[in-house]
Short mmCIF file of all heavy atoms in Angstrom, two decimals:
data_model
loop_
_atom_site.label_atom_id
_atom_site.label_comp_id
_atom_site.label_asym_id
_atom_site.label_seq_id
_atom_site.Cartn_x
_atom_site.Cartn_y
_atom_site.Cartn_z
N SER A 121 -7.51 27.64 -84.86
CA SER A 121 -6.65 27.15 -85.95
C SER A 121 -7.22 27.55 -87.31
O SER A 121 -6.47 27.96 -88.20
CB SER A 121 -6.49 25.63 -85.86
OG SER A 121 -5.82 25.27 -84.69
N LEU A 122 -8.52 27.43 -87.48
CA LEU A 122 -9.14 27.85 -88.73
C LEU A 122 -9.03 29.35 -88.93
O LEU A 122 -8.82 29.83 -90.05
CB LEU A 122 -10.62 27.43 -88.75
CG LEU A 122 -10.90 25.96 -88.97
CD1 LEU A 122 -12.39 25.67 -88.79
CD2 LEU A 122 -10.44 25.53 -90.35
N TYR A 123 -9.15 30.10 -87.86
CA TYR A 123 -9.10 31.56 -87.94
C TYR A 123 -7.73 32.03 -88.43
O TYR A 123 -7.63 32.95 -89.23
CB TYR A 123 -9.42 32.16 -86.57
CG TYR A 123 -9.42 33.67 -86.54
CD1 TYR A 123 -10.49 34.38 -87.08
CD2 TYR A 123 -8.36 34.38 -86.00
CE1 TYR A 123 -10.51 35.76 -87.07
CE2 TYR A 123 -8.37 35.75 -85.98
CZ TYR A 123 -9.44 36.45 -86.51
OH TYR A 123 -9.45 37.82 -86.49
N PHE A 124 -6.67 31.39 -87.94
CA PHE A 124 -5.32 31.80 -88.32
C PHE A 124 -4.75 31.00 -89.50
O PHE A 124 -3.61 31.21 -89.89
CB PHE A 124 -4.38 31.67 -87.12
CG PHE A 124 -4.67 32.66 -86.04
CD1 PHE A 124 -5.17 32.24 -84.82
CD2 PHE A 124 -4.48 34.02 -86.24
CE1 PHE A 124 -5.44 33.16 -83.82
CE2 PHE A 124 -4.74 34.94 -85.26
CZ PHE A 124 -5.23 34.51 -84.04
N PHE A 125 -5.53 30.06 -90.05
CA PHE A 125 -5.12 29.23 -91.19
C PHE A 125 -3.85 28.43 -90.90
O PHE A 125 -3.05 28.18 -91.80
CB PHE A 125 -4.93 30.06 -92.45
CG PHE A 125 -6.19 30.66 -92.97
CD1 PHE A 125 -6.37 32.04 -92.97
CD2 PHE A 125 -7.22 29.87 -93.44
CE1 PHE A 125 -7.53 32.61 -93.43
CE2 PHE A 125 -8.38 30.43 -93.92
CZ PHE A 125 -8.54 31.80 -93.91
N GLU A 126 -3.64 28.06 -89.64
CA GLU A 126 -2.55 27.18 -89.26
C GLU A 126 -2.91 26.53 -87.93
O GLU A 126 -3.72 27.07 -87.18
CB GLU A 126 -1.22 27.91 -89.16
CG GLU A 126 -1.16 28.94 -88.06
CD GLU A 126 0.17 29.67 -88.00
OE1 GLU A 126 0.97 29.55 -88.94
OE2 GLU A 126 0.39 30.38 -87.03
N ALA A 127 -2.29 25.42 -87.66
CA ALA A 127 -2.58 24.71 -86.40
C ALA A 127 -2.06 25.53 -85.22
O ALA A 127 -0.87 25.84 -85.15
CB ALA A 127 -1.95 23.33 -86.41
N ALA A 128 -2.97 25.90 -84.35
CA ALA A 128 -2.58 26.65 -83.16
C ALA A 128 -1.91 25.70 -82.17
O ALA A 128 -2.10 24.49 -82.21
CB ALA A 128 -3.82 27.29 -82.52
N ASP A 129 -1.12 26.28 -81.27
CA ASP A 129 -0.48 25.48 -80.23
C ASP A 129 -1.57 24.97 -79.29
O ASP A 129 -2.36 25.75 -78.75
CB ASP A 129 0.53 26.34 -79.48
CG ASP A 129 1.34 25.55 -78.47
OD1 ASP A 129 1.30 24.30 -78.52
OD2 ASP A 129 2.00 26.19 -77.63
N TRP A 130 -1.63 23.68 -79.07
CA TRP A 130 -2.69 23.07 -78.27
C TRP A 130 -2.44 23.18 -76.78
O TRP A 130 -3.35 23.05 -75.97
CB TRP A 130 -2.89 21.61 -78.66
CG TRP A 130 -1.66 20.78 -78.43
CD1 TRP A 130 -0.65 20.55 -79.33
CD2 TRP A 130 -1.30 20.10 -77.24
NE1 TRP A 130 0.32 19.77 -78.76
CE2 TRP A 130 -0.06 19.47 -77.46
CE3 TRP A 130 -1.90 19.94 -75.99
CZ2 TRP A 130 0.59 18.72 -76.50
CZ3 TRP A 130 -1.26 19.18 -75.03
CH2 TRP A 130 -0.02 18.58 -75.29
N ARG A 131 -1.20 23.42 -76.37
CA ARG A 131 -0.87 23.42 -74.95
C ARG A 131 -1.58 24.49 -74.14
O ARG A 131 -2.07 24.19 -73.04
CB ARG A 131 0.64 23.50 -74.77
CG ARG A 131 1.32 22.20 -75.16
CD ARG A 131 2.78 22.35 -75.11
NE ARG A 131 3.16 23.20 -76.24
CZ ARG A 131 4.33 23.17 -76.83
NH1 ARG A 131 5.26 22.39 -76.38
NH2 ARG A 131 4.58 23.93 -77.86
N PRO A 132 -1.70 25.73 -74.61
CA PRO A 132 -2.46 26.70 -73.81
C PRO A 132 -3.93 26.31 -73.63
O PRO A 132 -4.52 26.57 -72.58
CB PRO A 132 -2.34 28.00 -74.60
CG PRO A 132 -1.15 27.84 -75.46
CD PRO A 132 -1.05 26.38 -75.75
N TYR A 133 -4.50 25.65 -74.61
CA TYR A 133 -5.89 25.22 -74.52
C TYR A 133 -6.05 24.09 -73.50
O TYR A 133 -6.99 24.07 -72.72
CB TYR A 133 -6.42 24.80 -75.89
CG TYR A 133 -6.48 25.95 -76.85
CD1 TYR A 133 -5.40 26.26 -77.67
CD2 TYR A 133 -7.60 26.75 -76.92
CE1 TYR A 133 -5.44 27.34 -78.54
CE2 TYR A 133 -7.66 27.83 -77.79
CZ TYR A 133 -6.57 28.12 -78.59
OH TYR A 133 -6.62 29.19 -79.43
N ALA A 134 -5.09 23.16 -73.52
CA ALA A 134 -5.13 22.06 -72.55
C ALA A 134 -4.89 22.58 -71.13
O ALA A 134 -5.58 22.18 -70.18
CB ALA A 134 -4.09 21.00 -72.91
N GLN A 135 -3.91 23.47 -71.01
CA GLN A 135 -3.64 24.05 -69.70
C GLN A 135 -4.83 24.88 -69.22
O GLN A 135 -5.19 24.85 -68.04
CB GLN A 135 -2.39 24.92 -69.76
CG GLN A 135 -2.02 25.54 -68.44
CD GLN A 135 -0.81 26.44 -68.55
OE1 GLN A 135 -0.25 26.65 -69.63
NE2 GLN A 135 -0.38 27.00 -67.43
#
Side-chain angles (χ1 to χ4, degrees):
S121 295
L122 286 173
Y123 181 76
F124 292 112
F125 294 114
E126 66 181 11
D129 186 13
W130 61 270
R131 288 174 288 206
Y133 295 90
Q135 181 182 3

